[in-house]
Amino acid sequence: MKRICDFATGNVHTIVLIYAIVAVIVWVAVNLYFWKISFDLDREIREEMREYGDCYSDTDEAKFGKHITRLTGFIISIPAAVMWWCTPLIVAGLMIYDKIQEKNPELCGFKADDFDKEENK
């Protein structure tokens, strides 16, 4: 334990630098992903406008949707950047929970079929 503490305190600047660099990379990647989604949404709406002609003119809704998508990406990217190291742990935990639930559903509570059986009684 002493060796781990000595390593952590001796290399704290390097560890913090690596953490910050990866956090910035995750923040940029999440924002770029949501910006791509907003551009795809814009392209899809333009195709619908061409298809329907004058009948389809919800451009204000399209702009609102693009801005909401970008804002959602920005809001999600901040905690994702701060907690980038625990994201694989969360995903792995959810996968393990799913496997346990498939094999032993009684450990994780009722299934939807059980609720239907109780209501029909």
Side-chain angles (χ1 to χ4, degrees), residues 16-103:
V16 169
L17 181 67
I18 291 170
Y19 185 89
I21 289 171
V22 175
V24 168
I25 291 170
V26 168
W27 185 80
V28 168
V30 171
N31 274 311
L32 286 175
Y33 178 73
F34 276 91
W35 274 73
K36 182 193 174 307
I37 290 173
S38 73
F39 287 128
D40 291 345
L41 177 69
D42 186 44
R43 187 185 72 235
E44 191 174 306
I45 288 172
R46 284 185 185 161
E47 288 174 3
E48 285 183 17
M49 287 176 69
R50 276 191 222 113
E51 184 177 326
Y52 294 113
D54 293 332
C55 299
Y56 189 79
S57 61
D58 287 336
T59 56
D60 289 338
E61 283 187 23
K63 290 178 184 176
F64 181 73
K66 279 180 17 181
H67 294 305
I68 289 298
T69 303
R70 291 175 183 172
L71 179 66
T72 302
F74 180 76
I75 292 170
I76 289 174
S77 68
I78 294 170
V82 172
M83 301 183 309
W84 64 264
W85 55 272
C86 68
T87 303
L89 296 175
I90 292 170
V91 171
L94 289 173
M95 291 172 68
I96 291 170
Y97 178 79
D98 186 49
K99 292 292 182 189
I100 291 171
Q101 186 178 10
E102 285 178 2
K103 292 184 180 178

